[in-house]
Amino acid sequence: MQSPYVQPAWSAKVDTWEVYANTNFTVTGEGKVFSLSGKRLIALNVQTGKTVWTYGASLLPSIIYQEGTIYGAANDGSIYALSASNGKRKWLSSIKLPSPDAIEVVGDTLYILKGKAMYAFNPKTGKQLWTNTELQSEYGHAGLIDAGDVVFRTYTVQGALTSVQLNAIDKKTGKKLWGIFRQNTPLKIEGGLVYSVKDNYSPIIEGPERSVTVSVINLKTGELKGSRVYRWSVQEGPGVEYQTGGPCYLDGNDFYVHQNGIIARYDFSNYKPNDKPLRNYYEPASNSYGYPAQKVHRGRILFASSGNGTLTGIKTANGQQMSWAGDNPSSMTDIYGKGVYLAQTDGILHAIDFDSGKPLFRVKTGARNYGPTLKEGGSLIIQTNGKLTGVRLPAALK
């Protein structure tokens, strides 16, 4: 892949991942990069890499940026909120919590997630609002959904078999309204109804008929109001009885269902029993292109390879396939707008135009392993172990 090398605008030392066993302790916002150095929070100017401010000591790698505020956790269990512009503390919680698995701001509430438990705070004052624990679960998942008066979270729960459970939690009190075993994170919440794909896994399915069921659930009560069933058939053969199909996801009103080598696209806004797809697409060979990324970007259904970092897309307009690949395996592949960024194990990061597939530039990183590549204020931030590197992007990728 021939493209010009560009020189980084700056680099900065940060804490190594071995300190925290966590590669996700860098975030961006307001033209700054926020990370940890010496277990202190530092804010760097994204254009120059110069330190704007520092804060604290013995901090944990749990930080997020949200609307002008940085939220994080300290080693003593306290939660803090800082002004992103100057690093001044807005509040420090009096309550001490275990080291969080995740910090999320959803709607107008700050959530601290730890195992089965979730803690809700007022993000402006730091006042704790409530605690909710799902005692029947093995652990809870990150990625909350706020539906106004109700918050949704999924858990892994052991039943006759281990599966996912969808819980609805009263946002004001933290009380569990309902929980339904074998229901996934909602696809959509609209008109007081929750649309959630039912976990249809079974170790043995006989015959060629397959289906995916979308449960329609009352938001407040958990009452099942109906179901949408999408059916298809597979060609019988060795091992086919173990295949139940692939993931399902929404892109606007387009509902994509992976059906044993075929991707079927339905109109989710106009369901009819025994509905037929608007269009079918052929999946790329899984041994070459990996697994569905469960994402549609700029009119292409994406597949990501866990083996070499190759990204493959299927154009929704005509089914045409396209791949974005470097000349060595990539250990981290990220997409922002028109840019595809492949951070390779040979120490080179490639930037590729998403629409045309044309290679745009390369950066020498000297690294084999990477954290997520970030984008902020017209700059690309490359995360390698113990180091951040800033690269100014061309106008086409800003």
Side-chain angles (χ1 to χ4, degrees):
M1 178 174 293
Q2 298 301 316
S3 61
Y5 283 104
V6 299
Q7 292 298 317
W10 56 267
S11 64
K13 291 183 178 180
V14 292
D15 289 341
T16 60
W17 300 335
E18 287 85 1
V19 173
Y20 301 107
N22 187 323
T23 62
N24 191 25
F25 58 89
T26 300
V27 297
T28 62
E30 295 191 3
K32 300 180 186 68
V33 184
F34 307 94
S35 193
L36 296 176
S37 179
K39 298 188 180 181
R40 294 171 60 83
L41 183 62
I42 60 171
L44 307 177
N45 182 291
V46 76
Q47 297 291 332
T48 65
K50 291 183 178 180
T51 301
V52 180
W53 53 258
T54 63
Y55 169 82
S58 298
L59 302 183
L60 295 175
S62 301
I63 58 173
I64 63 167
Y65 168 84
Q66 182 76 15
E67 296 182 352
T69 302
I70 294 290
Y71 301 95
N75 197 48
D76 66 357
S78 60
I79 308 301
Y80 61 84
L82 311 177
S83 167
S85 62
N86 57 29
K88 291 184 178 180
R89 194 169 70 198
K90 294 184 175 182
W91 53 260
L92 182 69
S93 69
S94 56
I95 186 172
K96 310 296 184 183
L97 299 178
S99 174
D101 297 328
I103 301 177
E104 300 186 26
V105 176
V106 183
D108 58 359
T109 306
L110 171 70
Y111 298 95
I112 309 297
L113 308 183
K114 179 64 177 180
K116 306 175 183 181
M118 57 190 297
Y119 307 86
F121 291 82
N122 182 316
K124 294 183 179 180
T125 66
K127 178 184 177 182
Q128 186 180 7
L129 304 175
W130 46 260
T131 301
N132 176 281
T133 303
E134 177 50 73
L135 297 175
Q136 303 303 315
S137 73
E138 295 183 14
Y139 57 88
H141 307 154
L144 307 179
I145 294 181
D146 186 332
D149 296 332
V150 180
V151 176
F152 291 92
R153 188 184 186 192
T154 55
Y155 299 81
T156 294
V157 176
Q158 179 73 50
L161 54 85
T162 299
S163 186
V164 66
Q165 177 172 301
L166 176 63
N167 280 12
I169 299 159
D170 186 288
K171 187 175 177 179
K172 291 182 179 179
T173 65
K175 292 183 179 179
K176 177 180 171 181
L177 298 174
W178 51 264
I180 303 179
F181 188 58
R182 299 186 72 175
Q183 289 293 159
N184 286 283
T185 300
L187 287 168
K188 190 173 187 178
I189 301 170
E190 185 177 66
L193 298 173
V194 178
Y195 298 85
S196 164
V197 175
K198 187 174 182 179
D199 181 7
N200 69 338
Y201 173 77
S202 176
I204 297 178
I205 297 178
E206 296 181 354
E209 299 303 316
R210 301 288 185 272
S211 67
V212 161
T213 299
V214 177
S215 301
V216 184
I217 304 164
N218 182 283
L219 184 147
K220 292 291 185 67
T221 67
E223 177 186 0
L224 183 66
K225 305 299 291 185
S227 297
R228 298 180 171 190
V229 182
Y230 300 84
R231 305 180 189 277
W232 70 95
S233 297
V234 298
Q235 185 175 2
E236 293 187 88
V240 171
E241 65 270 20
Y242 298 100
Q243 300 175 14
T244 57
C248 315
Y249 44 93
L250 267 177
D251 179 57
N253 285 320
D254 291 327
F255 183 44
Y256 294 89
V257 182
H258 288 249
Q259 301 177 346
N260 305 94
I262 297 292
I263 311 166
R265 175 165 61 91
Y266 299 90
D267 182 358
F268 196 77
S269 65
N270 188 29
Y271 172 77
K272 301 180 184 67
N274 301 312
D275 214 357
K276 300 298 182 183
L278 299 175
R279 182 165 192 147
N280 287 328
Y281 309 90
Y282 289 101
E283 285 189 359
S286 61
N287 61 344
S288 300
Y289 297 108
Y291 300 94
Q294 301 190 42
K295 180 178 181 180
V296 179
H297 184 71
R298 297 179 71 86
R300 287 187 172 90
I301 307 166
L302 297 183
F303 288 75
S305 169
S306 59
N308 60 17
T310 298
L311 188 70
T312 300
I314 299 173
K315 200 167 186 177
T316 58
N318 55 23
Q320 180 183 5
Q321 292 188 15
M322 177 179 179
S323 292
W324 302 265
D327 48 17
N328 271 282
S330 172
S331 69
M332 183 63 64
T333 301
D334 295 286
I335 305 171
Y336 295 101
K338 288 186 63 178
V340 179
Y341 304 98
L342 304 173
Q344 297 185 164
T345 57
D346 66 345
I348 303 296
L349 180 139
H350 290 274
I352 306 171
D353 184 274
F354 183 90
D355 294 339
S356 67
K358 178 183 176 181
L360 299 175
F361 65 83
R362 291 177 284 178
V363 181
K364 293 181 180 180
T365 69
R368 290 185 58 84
N369 299 307
Y370 302 81
T373 303
L374 306 174
K375 181 176 176 288
E376 172 69 22
S379 292
L380 194 70
I381 312 301
I382 304 169
Q383 293 194 71
T384 54
N385 204 359
K387 183 180 178 181
L388 300 179
T389 301
V391 178
R392 290 175 186 160
L393 292 170
L397 296 180
K398 290 183 178 178

